[in-house]
Amino acid sequence: MVQEQLIPRGISDPRVIDAMREVPRHCFVDDALQSRAYGDFPLPISAGQTISQPYIVALMTEALGLTGSERVLEIGTGSGYQAAVLSRLCSQVYTVERINVLLAGSRRVFDQLRYFNIIAKLDDGTLGWPEHGPYDAIIVTAGGPEIPEPLVEQLGDGGRLVIPVGDQHLQALQVLEKGEDEVQVRELEKVRFVDLVGEHGWK
Ligand code: SAH
């Protein structure tokens, strides 16, 4: 996966590459899909949701520029795979999921792998998780019509937020950087994510 899918496409942060090597992706997919766990594509998880393609996980993670000391908020826990990768690269991961079966499943895997620096809760993540903010980095792993304002508010100065923004068929991965008095947004590639459903997402 790392040699054939990530490095040739330009993933170069050695810490990200190590984390992608370390986290056992097969633990986050159903028994019936075990043989395809490291393939170059997204896979279905419960409740009609998906675990992203490995390259997209690596790309979004790399865009956050983590060095090890950060507190990171993820919206859209899903299988838990992205949160697990983040947990190897920062000090604390807070992750929010709106579907209970997914939250419960991901918590089981975090415990099994002894990834104790991940805290997960059931809620509408478009509202963020204000109690633990501000965050050094925020990652949204579902596609919304715009960047949810509460997430920009909960991002600390110098922090980065990565989110797919667009319509329900195609989005662009946007990276927002919060400076002291200005916010900059740049675009990575076009992507296709499941819907971000909530107050500041799709209704
Ligand atoms: N990061 C996940 C990707 C899961 S797909 C992984 O590695 O597997 C996106 C997830 O976002 C779905 O589980 C979906 O239920 C969740 N989601 C969508 N809208 C949400 C919202 N407003 N708050 C929290 N989770 C949301």
Side-chain angles (χ1 to χ4, degrees), residues 166-186:
D167 61 30
Q168 284 162 294
H169 303 286
L170 191 68
Q171 304 94 35
L173 267 186
Q174 296 193 348
V175 184
L176 178 149
E177 286 200 56
K178 196 173 189 177
E180 259 175 41
D181 38 31
E182 54 161 25
V183 162
Q184 283 186 344
V185 180
R186 65 191 164 93

Side-chain angles (χ1 to χ4, degrees), residues 24-85:
R25 183 168 161 98
H26 62 272
C27 295
F28 297 87
V29 305
D30 287 351
D31 288 348
L33 298 172
Q34 287 297 304
S35 65
R36 310 181 67 203
Y38 296 88
D40 193 12
F41 32 72
L43 286 169
I45 53 177
S46 303
Q49 307 302 311
T50 55
I51 173 174
S52 303
Q53 180 188 11
Y55 167 63
I56 297 296
V57 173
L59 180 70
M60 293 175 79
T61 303
E62 188 171 69
L64 296 176
L66 301 173
T67 62
S69 57
E70 294 87 355
R71 299 165 60 259
V72 179
L73 175 66
E74 180 197 28
I75 309 307
T77 316
S79 67
Y81 179 67
Q82 173 74 72
V85 170

Side-chain angles (χ1 to χ4, degrees), residues 9-21:
R9 292 194 184 114
I11 301 300
S12 63
D13 181 335
R15 299 182 70 245
V16 173
I17 289 172
D18 283 350
M20 296 296 295
R21 280 213 171 94

Side-chain angles (χ1 to χ4, degrees), residues 25 28 43 45-52 57 74-86 95-100 102-103 106 121-128 139-143 193-202:
R25 183 168 161 98
F28 297 87
L43 286 169
I45 53 177
S46 303
Q49 307 302 311
T50 55
I51 173 174
S52 303
V57 173
E74 180 197 28
I75 309 307
T77 316
S79 67
Y81 179 67
Q82 173 74 72
V85 170
L86 293 168
T95 181
V96 185
E97 171 56 55
R98 62 182 284 276
I99 299 177
N100 202 19
L102 292 170
L103 184 77
S106 67
K121 79 158 173 172
L122 189 71
D123 208 342
D124 172 6
T126 68
L127 303 170
I139 180 171
V140 184
T141 60
F193 275 78
V194 297
D195 289 353
L196 178 68
V197 179
E199 199 171 316
H200 298 266
W202 300 106

